[in-house]
Structure formats: C-alpha cells, structure tokens
Amino acid sequence: MTRTTVTTENAPAPAAPLSQGIRKGGLLQVSGQLPLDPDTGETVGTTVAEQTAQALRNVTAVLKAGGAGLADVVMLRVYLTDPAHLAGMNEAYAAAVGEPFPARTTVYMRLPPGLLVEIDALAVLDD
C-alpha cells in the first residue's frame, strides 16, 4: 500500500518539515491545522471561536484534497492554549462539525503568540 502526500493551496503551507496530510489506503491523517489564512499566512481572528472556525476550514480543505470530508472523520484532536477557551471552542466546533460528532480529544498546550487553537483529524475512507 502506497503512502500518498496530500497537499492543497486552500490550507496554509506547512512551516515545519511535515505534510498537510498523508493518505495510506483508506486512512487520511490531516496534520494539525492552525487558524491561518492560506493566502496570507496571517492569523484569522482574535477569539477562540473565530480561530476554531478557521482551523476547521483548513482541516476541511486538506480532507477535500485527500478525497474526504468531515463525514469521514472518526477522530479530531483539538489543542487549546487555555482551559478557559473550552466553551467558545465547543460552540464554534459544534457549528462547523455538526452531528453526529466524531470522537475527540482536547488537550492544552503552548502555541506561538496569538494562536489559541490547533486541530488535526483522522478520516477513514471507504475505498
């Protein structure tokens, strides 16, 4: 089974040695997406809700490039910088992802200044 790199101009280009996504067989792993505008590289929004929406748009763009969509996602991992942001993230997340929700893990970590959230995804495709 071949491992295929997934790339799209509709999500920010990685600034580190990683791929936007990797597909192997029916699995598609999307690397952590930050709330960056893919055209400018600038942070989108100052609230966790705004940044969550942008990070999920970036995740969705990579999923699409790999032949998947949010309905194929079985696991999302959300990285927040502050536990106080959980409610705002949950609200934006629920609106963007919709039911039935995939499994999810939320952890807290340090991100570069101004960034409040990062999200990665694991999708399973039928082929």
Side-chain angles (χ1 to χ4, degrees):
M1 210 176 298
T2 304
R3 186 174 78 162
T4 305
T5 302
V6 176
T7 60
T8 179
E9 293 180 359
N10 296 318
L18 53 93
S19 299
Q20 288 175 315
I22 292 288
R23 181 165 176 185
K24 187 166 182 175
L27 295 179
L28 171 57
Q29 176 67 54
V30 176
S31 291
Q33 296 296 306
L34 295 167
L36 304 177
D37 181 296
D39 295 325
T40 66
E42 298 295 318
T43 302
V44 174
T46 57
T47 69
V48 74
E50 293 168 322
Q51 290 193 14
T52 297
Q54 182 62 45
L56 285 167
R57 282 191 291 273
N58 294 340
V59 166
T60 301
V62 179
L63 287 168
K64 183 177 179 183
L70 284 173
D72 300 304
V73 172
V74 296
M75 179 67 172
L76 283 161
R77 282 171 293 273
V78 178
Y79 306 87
L80 291 174
T81 59
D82 187 337
H85 293 154
L86 184 61
M89 183 279 297
N90 273 334
E91 186 175 324
Y93 175 95
V97 175
E99 293 186 43
F101 299 113
R104 186 181 95 194
T105 298
T106 303
V107 297
Y108 301 98
M109 63 176 284
R110 184 176 300 199
L111 290 170
L115 297 175
L116 306 175
V117 63
E118 181 175 1
I119 302 173
D120 71 56
L122 177 64
V124 179
L125 290 82
D126 293 330
D127 61 88

